[in-house]
Amino acid sequence: MEVGDPSARLRAITPVRALEIVAAVVAIVGGLVVLVTHPPMVDLEIPLRAAERWVHGGEPYLASSFSAPEGYGLPFLYPPPVLPLLAPLLALPRGVVVAAWLAATLGAALFVARRLGVPWRTAPVVLCWVPFAEGLVGGNAQVLLVAAFVAVFFDAPIGPWHPTPRDPRGGGRPAILDGTLAAITPALKLTQPHAWAALLRRRPAAALLGLGAAVAVALATLPLVGIGAWQAWIAQLGRAADPAWELRGSSLVQLLPGLLSPAATAVTVLLAMVVPTRRVGAAAGLLLVLGSPSLRSYGVLFLLPAMLAVRRDVALVAVMLVGTGVMPGMWAGILLVTFAFAAPGRLDLIIAAATGRGSRPAPAR
């Protein structure tokens, strides 16, 4: 073999390395597409406009917003306590608010990546991946919620691509902190209580303290927002759950008729309370994604711990499928990770039969 021989370098590329290269390309291209096509800071602007209407005596929960095209006119869906928390920001220049929010979401995204073992040199490519890119470009709070989830269930990694599961029962920090971090997600998105439910099983006092903190905020802001705002919010959630709304988001449970859909979501919450302790964080995130009644691409970020717990080659294929940015590809990646996470032995047999190999690659770490 001659030094610098291109053909020799190509032969030295392993199948997993080839998948890594393709996954990186898919992530970068997907991030560029999001940057060009996704409305900037749309998920920040919608709540700010709702708060502005509320401050001036208007209705924050507009029924007419469900007929708006994708963009800044979409419905405001967060609960009423968010309104008085956002109101002080209206006094600041919008550019300052946008810059501060971008810094907060970018910091949260980097925290998620680093806590799960992503090396610094790879982090920029990872943040281009569509679920991260849409959350960052759109300014969606989901990035912060994923960071809170990761903080509860994972310690600092012991090596590249090697997240360290954390059992909240082991303590190590105040119960009120774990509880608040786990309660933030269901406080903003009622259909995503999986992490809180998992914490309730492992550290009940922490979960109940977090619930108490959320209730306290709701009661403290009640004199400001009034009962009417809560009634309007509930009505807004009902409109958001209407299958006729084209921008509702994608979900497996939407395929079930009638009450079977919320029942399926409830089953995923119950499963989050009985998974093995060593897999509680990854399983809770996976179940949240599977049980979400209106999943969008940034919601797939909760799947990251499960992705890093399965075979590297499978995880990379899932990264590419989700990175296509289209719902069929996204769900193909989610289901692939689900099968690999729930039945790794059977997947090994299938891959071995397909490739003629009997060995199993290392997990994605």
Side-chain angles (χ1 to χ4, degrees):
M1 180 180 71
E2 296 182 4
V3 177
D5 182 1
S7 62
R9 287 199 297 268
L10 287 174
R11 289 194 298 271
I13 297 178
T14 65
V16 170
R17 180 58 180 161
L19 288 174
E20 290 174 347
I21 294 171
V22 176
V25 171
V26 170
I28 293 171
V29 172
L32 290 174
V33 171
V34 169
L35 185 61
V36 172
T37 61
H38 198 68
M41 289 293 142
V42 62
D43 296 314
L44 172 64
E45 186 65 24
I46 290 171
L48 288 175
R49 291 185 183 185
E52 195 167 29
R53 293 194 299 270
W54 174 72
V55 165
H56 292 95
E59 174 56 64
Y61 300 103
L62 297 175
S64 60
S65 59
F66 287 91
S67 60
E70 189 168 2
Y72 299 99
L74 288 176
F76 173 61
L77 297 173
Y78 289 132
V82 171
L83 296 169
L85 297 177
L86 290 176
L89 300 180
L90 300 175
L92 300 174
R94 191 59 56 93
V96 172
V97 176
V98 168
W101 187 249
L102 177 60
T105 53
L106 182 58
L110 284 171
F111 170 81
V112 170
R114 293 293 294 153
R115 181 56 65 97
L116 294 179
V118 175
W120 275 115
R121 66 180 183 279
T122 314
V125 175
V126 171
L127 296 190
C128 286
W129 190 45
V130 166
F132 270 122
E134 278 201 12
L136 293 171
V137 173
N140 196 276
Q142 191 87 66
V143 181
L144 299 172
L145 302 183
V146 174
F149 157 72
V150 167
V152 172
F153 291 103
F154 294 89
D155 282 324
I158 60 177
W161 309 105
H162 199 305
T164 304
R166 172 179 180 266
D167 182 3
R169 181 175 288 180
R173 58 173 166 242
I176 184 64
L177 180 56
D178 268 356
T180 302
L181 290 173
I184 289 174
T185 298
L188 292 179
K189 302 190 177 187
L190 284 177
T191 57
Q192 297 181 356
H194 301 71
W196 182 86
L199 182 64
L200 181 64
R201 175 202 169 196
R202 298 303 304 158
R203 199 177 183 188
L208 294 176
L209 283 171
L211 176 61
V215 171
V217 171
L219 292 177
T221 56
L222 183 58
L224 297 174
V225 300
I227 296 293
W230 282 93
Q231 293 172 333
W233 174 62
I234 293 172
Q236 191 84 326
L237 293 185
R239 290 188 284 266
D242 186 350
W245 185 35
E246 293 181 358
L247 302 178
R248 180 185 176 192
S250 181
S251 175
L252 289 182
V253 298
Q254 287 181 15
L255 302 176
L256 301 174
L259 294 177
L260 288 179
S261 177
T265 297
V267 168
T268 62
V269 176
L270 293 175
L271 288 174
M273 301 181 69
V274 298
V275 294
T277 300
R278 62 184 177 83
R279 309 178 89 193
V280 63
L286 171 60
L287 289 165
L288 184 153
V289 170
L290 291 174
S292 176
S294 57
L295 187 70
R296 302 183 187 278
S297 63
Y298 37 74
V300 182
L301 292 174
F302 282 102
L303 188 71
L304 281 173
M307 274 186 167
L308 292 169
V310 303
R311 296 170 53 125
R312 184 186 295 273
D313 51 357
V314 171
L316 290 168
V317 171
V319 165
M320 288 185 277
L321 290 170
V322 173
T324 61
V326 297
M327 286 299 172
M330 185 178 77
W331 277 107
I334 293 169
L335 293 176
L336 178 61
V337 172
T338 301
F339 183 56
F341 187 81
R346 291 190 178 184
L347 182 64
D348 291 343
L349 292 175
I350 292 172
I351 293 177
T355 61
R357 291 181 172 182
S359 60
R360 178 184 178 185
R365 291 174 179 171

